[in-house]
Amino acid sequence: MGNLMGSWRYKEPSTVEECDSTWETDSESDEHQPGGEEEDSGISESMSPADSVRGAEQLDHGSPQFGDMMESSTRMKRSFYAAKDLYKYRHSYPNYKEPRQPNEYRNLRFYLNKIPLVPDGIYIEEILTKWRGDYEKLEHNHTYIQWLFPLREQGLNFYAQELTQDEIKEFQSTREAKRRFLLAYTIMLDFFGIKLLDKNGNVARAPNWQDRFQHLNESQHNYLRITRILKSLGELGFESFKLPLVRLLLEEALVEGTLPNMRHSALEYFVYTLRQHGQRRTLLRFAQRHYHPPENFIWGPPKKKRIPASGSTGTRVGRNEAVERSAGKARSPREGRNNLEREVEDTDERKSGEWKTAKGSKVLQEGRGRVDLEEYIETIPL
């Protein structure tokens, strides 16, 4: 009955504006909503559903022309397909029915090394012990990613099953499954040229970053994998790991210039996997200052008509503009990175502080080996 009643209340969004609440208010505090969680309204211009689906199909098939098409269009528009997909994710898939019984927890059983992934017949322990650094296998095998990073939606491997809410709860309470999930995450980070630094999910360039970033910039089907990984982190209890990864990828795409082909996916998909409004706004404000050409930036707040008040000074609009101009004066890529870090820290100080690195947290150094990595993950409280 609950699902039936929910189906009556839920209204399917039909525009980007209905899918996106990032700029619903311009306050970083999100005091009107506990935790700054979703209750969507909107921004920006959108593609028609038909156009956006065609674009999504091109992207799903790894077409490099999709990014070029978006960048070269005379009037760029947001993808309704992407906005709707991430709207449903952030709202825990409204009206989604979960028919399976607890004994069919195939994702959890896979992570407990009880069943292999299908159709390859490979167990999780084999992946964790033998696949690290095997970049050819990680690149060209297309069946493992749905098993390593399960979601509450069907992927391209139809042998993999979607997560259910009950299975998610069971997974989050199973230490062995979470330990293996983190190891799988570090394998994929290494594949992308990134390393996990600490138990808060902070990340940085790995020693192999130059070769791997060059590959990642050219192999754009991996952007779909990154979106899946970010979603799965949020489903399985690692929501706090998303922001550091998206922040690093935005810096590399927009400031350092190492991943220029990624910038559209990072802004259209990666940022919008974050469930808190304030975190998305912080990243998008940073991106807006470093995006070129600036007139093509379509992820900012909607333009508001400004009616100057006669004889008034120091208005809120004026103060906000001054802050934005001051924050946008970075003179080098390093300064741009520092500005973003300061913005996130400022946002954190007004919230619970969950994004700050805990004092005395153990950092994973570059020189440590694979055995040390497993020992390190054992120390993370799960």
Side-chain angles (χ1 to χ4, degrees):
M1 179 62 71
N3 286 340
L4 180 61
M5 293 301 294
S7 68
W8 287 101
R9 289 193 299 267
Y10 174 63
K11 179 180 181 296
E12 187 81 6
S14 58
T15 65
V16 168
E17 288 78 8
E18 293 177 357
C19 293
D20 185 9
S21 66
T22 302
W23 304 100
E24 187 174 57
T25 72
D26 199 29
S27 168
E28 290 290 349
S29 64
D30 291 317
E31 293 176 350
H32 65 296
Q33 296 177 29
E37 304 258 329
E38 287 292 320
E39 193 173 311
D40 276 61
S41 56
I43 74 166
S44 204
E45 299 180 47
S46 62
M47 291 182 176
S48 69
D51 289 341
S52 61
V53 168
R54 283 196 294 271
E57 290 173 348
Q58 288 177 302
L59 182 58
D60 284 340
H61 286 84
S63 170
Q65 286 78 28
F66 180 74
D68 295 339
M69 176 189 73
M70 294 298 298
E71 295 293 347
S72 62
S73 62
T74 57
R75 189 176 181 84
M76 291 181 63
K77 295 182 179 181
R78 290 223 15 218
S79 165
F80 172 71
Y81 172 88
K84 183 177 178 181
D85 173 69
L86 294 165
Y87 169 88
K88 290 183 176 181
Y89 165 75
R90 295 194 306 270
H91 290 77
S92 298
Y93 303 94
N95 285 4
Y96 182 77
K97 295 181 180 180
E98 301 181 340
R100 294 194 303 278
Q101 299 300 315
N103 62 0
E104 295 184 53
Y105 288 171
R106 296 185 67 190
N107 298 291
L108 178 59
R109 289 163 62 202
F110 168 70
Y111 260 101
L112 293 177
N113 210 43
K114 293 182 178 179
I115 61 171
L117 69 82
V118 183
D120 296 359
I122 302 170
Y123 284 83
I124 183 65
E125 274 302 308
E126 180 179 348
I127 294 175
L128 298 181
T129 56
K130 297 181 180 180
W131 285 34
R132 179 181 295 275
D134 190 340
Y135 300 144
E136 287 295 317
K137 183 173 290 184
L138 291 169
E139 172 66 21
H140 296 295
N141 185 305
H142 298 288
T143 58
Y144 70 90
I145 197 73
Q146 291 85 8
W147 287 87
L148 285 190
F149 301 97
L151 300 175
R152 295 181 61 206
E153 58 189 69
Q154 183 64 56
L156 295 179
N157 181 354
F158 290 96
Y159 293 103
Q161 286 191 349
E162 309 100 301
L163 284 168
T164 66
Q165 289 180 319
D166 288 340
E167 186 177 20
I168 287 171
K169 293 177 183 177
E170 198 69 26
F171 195 106
Q172 291 182 3
S173 64
T174 306
R175 178 181 174 83
E176 186 63 15
K178 292 179 72 177
R179 182 189 70 84
R180 288 193 174 113
F181 180 79
L182 277 184
L183 285 171
Y185 181 53
T186 63
I187 286 175
M188 293 308 298
L189 287 180
D190 176 73
F191 173 66
F192 299 139
I194 301 169
K195 61 180 179 179
L196 179 66
L197 292 178
D198 56 36
K199 65 183 180 182
N200 297 303
N202 290 309
V203 290
R205 291 174 174 177
N208 64 347
W209 71 270
Q210 289 180 305
D211 289 340
R212 300 315 304 162
F213 279 12
Q214 181 177 352
H215 173 79
L216 187 58
N217 191 56
E218 298 168 355
S219 182
Q220 297 180 32
H221 76 94
N222 281 300
Y223 304 166
L224 296 171
R225 291 175 168 180
I226 292 173
T227 301
R228 168 173 279 271
I229 289 169
L230 288 164
K231 288 181 175 180
S232 191
L233 285 168
E235 297 286 25
L236 297 178
F238 295 93
E239 177 73 24
S240 63
F241 280 44
K242 291 189 206 171
L243 178 61
L245 179 58
V246 179
R247 181 174 61 201
L248 175 67
L249 294 175
L250 275 178
E251 290 169 351
E252 297 294 346
L254 298 174
V255 179
E256 306 293 351
T258 56
L259 297 170
N261 291 337
M262 183 184 282
R263 64 179 191 165
H264 186 269
S265 291
L267 289 165
E268 193 82 332
Y269 287 86
F270 305 167
V271 169
Y272 289 93
T273 65
L274 299 175
R275 290 189 167 107
Q276 291 189 18
H277 304 72
Q279 292 166 3
R280 297 200 299 272
R281 286 198 295 263
T282 297
L283 293 175
L284 290 174
R285 285 185 178 123
F286 166 80
Q288 188 168 25
R289 289 196 299 274
H290 295 278
Y291 193 92
H292 297 287
E295 61 271 15
N296 280 356
F297 189 84
I298 56 176
W299 300 272
K303 294 181 180 179
K304 299 178 181 179
K305 294 181 180 180
R306 296 171 181 171
I307 303 176
S310 59
S312 63
T313 58
T315 63
R316 185 172 183 270
V317 171
R319 287 196 299 271
N320 286 345
E321 288 178 340
V323 171
E324 292 294 327
R325 286 196 300 270
S326 175
K329 290 182 179 178
R331 299 178 180 177
S332 68
R334 184 59 54 192
E335 288 184 36
R337 181 186 295 267
N338 292 339
N339 279 346
L340 178 56
E341 291 172 355
R342 284 196 296 271
E343 287 177 29
V344 174
E345 289 172 1
D346 290 342
T347 302
D348 296 341
E349 288 175 1
R350 290 189 290 271
K351 296 185 179 176
S352 64
E354 63 177 307
W355 298 107
K356 292 184 179 179
T357 303
K359 183 177 181 181
S361 65
K362 190 172 182 180
V363 175
L364 185 63
Q365 303 295 336
E366 289 185 11
R368 302 182 64 178
R370 298 177 190 175
V371 175
D372 287 335
L373 175 63
E374 294 192 19
E375 292 176 355
Y376 160 70
I377 288 180
E378 288 286 356
T379 68
I380 298 178
L382 301 175

